[in-house]
Amino acid sequence: MKMEIKEQKRDADLLRFITCGSVDDGKSTLIGRLLYDTKTIFEDQLQNIERTSQMRGEEYVNLALLTDGLRAEREQGITIDVAYRYFATPKRKFIMADTPGHIQYTRNMVTGASTANLAVVLVDARKGVIEQTCRHTFITSLLKIDHIILCVNKMDLVDYSQEVYEKIKTDFQDFISRLDIADVRYVPVSALQGDNIVNKSTKMPWYEGSTLLYMLENVHLGSDLNHVDARFPVQYVLRPQSTEYHDFRGYAGRVEGGVFKPGDEVLVLPSGFTSTVKTIETFDGPVAEAFAPMSVVITLTDEIDISRGDMLVKPNNQPEVSQDLEIMVCWMSEKPLAKGKKYIVRHTTKEAKCLVKDIRYKMNINTLHKIEEDLNIGLNDIGRITLRTTLPLFYDDYRKNSGTGSLILVDEFTNETVAAAIIL
């Protein structure tokens, strides 16, 4: 029986999701409620937050304390940093990121969203769709998060009104009609009372949809990854100096797209040499195929000079190769972006120096309008710029492949990450 349970947990797939929305919409409480109602809180954790809630004179157990770990967060009752929590049900494993709602922590929200499959966008039923709702929804769209669940929270404070819920749903649909989001779902909830989080609410008989947990457990992720365009950035060359593996030469990395199998012909970029996949090795032994996001070691039939930053692709399906890039950046530094400034660009496993050639425009995230008269891109701003790199990069459009279509910019003197970007 124990072996069966272990196998079920091992086979359960993983969903990474974020909670986002405006400050005080109840993101931390929602995650606390999910953990509490799925019984994935340790007894000592529960006792600790019960004790803390009593000391603060609160009338109920403050479940938000499960994720708001910083002292400043607990004192102010807000989320500042990204808090990650893990839990599992018999159907699926979850990594959830509680991201900040304040506009000054947009860069933290982008960091949390960069690896997510799904976004849970919270709206306070009393306030409706506001600026931060639009801001975070736009960022999730920009980062190609294909699944969004709009949670209309605090329904208990509007007497579980269907009219309020339908109005917010209509307003949100009007906004996202201008965005490219494949899958949007809606659920009225009360994170504080536990309505429609894990258990179906009896207070909203007019709502005939699923609970939040059911949606999270059953959202289909298989079509989100690119299994067509084969991309394998080489991270490390393995040459064991041992008698047993004297002639072994393997290329370690993570598959960023497509499928690789022994016998496949591959092209090495930038050299242009071709070879054939000999074997695909993993920690547990050789496998018959490798696909995103597997980390593997690929061996080839020919000895070719390959190093970190090179990429294995299929000869008839190659990425874009260029030193001139059009990108959308989320600026993360207190020093503003400057035209003509040099940075280090890190893309997949490749690193090169780059120059900011031009600043096209800054984005007004609330209206989705382009601001071309104000090109001052500062902390938490999002804008479109062009780069010139010292070495050619092998990339795809971000919407085609997020792994090869994203990069970061680093200050060459302080080594500070100044921007996260997607390639257009």
Side-chain angles (χ1 to χ4, degrees):
M1 184 66 181
K2 287 184 179 178
M3 285 297 292
E4 287 179 11
I5 293 173
K6 284 183 180 179
E7 288 302 318
Q8 286 174 3
K9 286 187 178 179
R10 189 179 301 164
D11 294 339
D13 59 340
L14 175 67
L15 173 71
R16 296 174 181 267
F17 71 94
I18 62 166
T19 57
C20 53
S22 183
V23 65
D24 289 334
D25 279 351
K27 297 180 295 297
S28 300
T29 305
L30 179 96
I31 287 185
R33 175 60 65 181
L34 263 176
L35 294 171
Y36 183 79
D37 285 358
T38 53
K39 296 178 172 55
T40 49
I41 304 175
F42 291 116
E43 190 65 34
D44 59 334
Q45 284 181 303
L46 185 58
Q47 290 173 357
N48 184 42
I49 63 170
E50 285 175 346
R51 186 166 54 249
T52 305
S53 299
Q54 287 177 353
M55 287 171 58
R56 292 166 54 153
E58 294 171 341
E59 298 177 2
Y60 54 86
V61 177
N62 189 346
L63 297 174
L65 296 174
L66 284 166
T67 54
D68 288 341
L70 297 178
R71 184 175 180 180
E73 293 177 321
R74 294 195 173 199
E75 288 175 351
Q76 299 178 56
I78 63 170
T79 300
I80 297 173
D81 200 3
V82 180
Y84 293 93
R85 291 295 180 269
Y86 312 86
F87 76 102
T89 67
K91 281 194 173 183
R92 179 170 266 171
K93 290 183 285 189
F94 301 91
I95 297 177
M96 48 188 175
D98 182 21
T99 60
H102 279 71
I103 189 169
Q104 63 263 42
Y105 303 121
T106 299
R107 57 180 174 175
N108 297 21
M109 185 265 168
V110 170
T111 303
S114 62
T115 58
N117 310 113
L118 179 146
V120 176
V121 180
L122 267 76
V123 172
D124 188 325
R126 300 167 300 173
K127 300 175 184 176
V129 176
I130 59 175
E131 177 184 324
Q132 278 298 81
T133 315
C134 298
R135 186 180 187 88
H136 286 181
T137 304
F138 172 73
I139 292 171
T140 61
S141 168
L142 193 66
L143 294 173
K144 197 178 169 286
I145 297 177
D146 292 326
H147 309 278
I148 286 183
I149 299 175
L150 182 77
C151 281
V152 182
N153 191 25
K154 304 190 180 181
M155 289 297 293
D156 54 312
L157 300 182
V158 293
D159 297 323
Y160 298 99
S161 167
Q162 181 179 4
E163 185 181 344
V164 170
Y165 167 71
E166 295 294 344
K167 170 71 167 57
I168 292 171
K169 183 177 175 180
T170 301
D171 291 344
F172 191 73
Q173 286 172 333
D174 289 343
F175 176 75
I176 64 168
S177 63
R178 295 172 284 171
L179 304 176
D180 182 19
I181 302 172
D183 176 27
V184 183
R185 307 174 192 209
Y186 303 86
V187 55
V189 304
S190 169
L192 187 63
Q193 304 296 334
D195 294 296
N196 287 336
I197 304 293
V198 172
N199 303 308
K200 186 83 171 170
S201 174
T202 58
K203 299 165 186 172
M204 291 176 276
W206 45 265
Y207 174 70
E208 298 177 349
S210 307
T211 63
L212 174 63
L213 181 63
Y214 182 88
M215 292 179 182
L216 294 173
E217 285 183 328
N218 292 279
V219 64
H220 179 65
L221 303 176
S223 59
D224 294 357
L225 294 169
N226 185 329
H227 292 308
V228 176
D229 308 301
R231 307 285 185 260
F232 184 76
V234 175
Q235 184 175 356
Y236 191 72
V237 181
L238 291 175
R239 287 298 310 273
Q241 301 298 318
S242 66
T243 305
E244 186 178 359
Y245 300 104
H246 189 269
D247 296 319
F248 184 90
R249 182 194 295 266
Y251 307 102
R254 190 177 78 165
V255 181
E256 294 291 357
V259 181
F260 290 88
K261 298 178 182 178
D264 285 352
E265 186 182 6
V266 292
L267 174 76
V268 182
L269 294 175
S271 67
F273 289 117
T274 58
S275 185
T276 304
V277 176
K278 184 178 179 183
T279 62
I280 300 174
E281 308 287 342
T282 69
F283 180 80
D284 297 317
V287 294
E289 61 180 10
F291 49 86
M294 291 174 63
S295 294
V296 298
V297 174
I298 292 178
T299 65
L300 305 178
T301 55
D302 302 284
E303 296 221 356
I304 302 174
D305 183 14
I306 300 175
S307 57
R308 177 183 171 87
D310 292 353
M311 186 181 287
L312 304 184
V313 301
K314 300 290 179 68
N316 60 348
N317 184 342
Q318 299 181 34
E320 299 284 335
V321 181
S322 179
Q323 290 177 253
D324 294 296
L325 304 176
E326 287 266 350
I327 64 173
M328 290 287 289
V329 295
C330 175
W331 200 249
M332 299 181 167
S333 173
E334 294 180 358
K335 297 177 184 175
L337 173 64
K339 182 178 176 181
K341 182 126 172 43
K342 295 177 182 177
Y343 298 98
I344 295 171
V345 57
R346 289 180 182 154
H347 171 256
T348 63
T349 58
K350 199 175 188 70
E351 184 175 294
K353 290 188 177 182
C354 69
L355 175 77
V356 178
K357 285 178 63 180
D358 192 23
I359 300 175
R360 301 274 200 222
Y361 58 80
K362 186 163 69 173
M363 201 81 189
N364 183 327
I365 297 178
N366 306 316
T367 63
L368 303 185
H369 291 156
K370 300 170 184 176
I371 305 172
E372 297 178 338
E373 61 277 7
D374 177 15
L375 299 180
N376 180 36
I377 296 180
L379 179 63
N380 295 315
D381 283 336
I382 291 176
R384 181 166 177 165
I385 68 172
T386 59
L387 295 181
R388 173 75 175 180
T389 60
T390 55
L391 298 171
L393 302 184
F394 324 119
Y395 65 90
D396 298 284
D397 182 296
Y398 184 84
R399 298 211 162 267
K400 187 177 180 182
N401 189 321
S402 59
T404 58
S406 57
L407 55 85
I408 61 170
L409 296 180
V410 177
D411 188 293
E412 59 181 337
F413 300 110
T414 65
N415 209 33
E416 174 196 9
T417 300
V418 295
I422 65 172
I423 304 173
L424 304 173

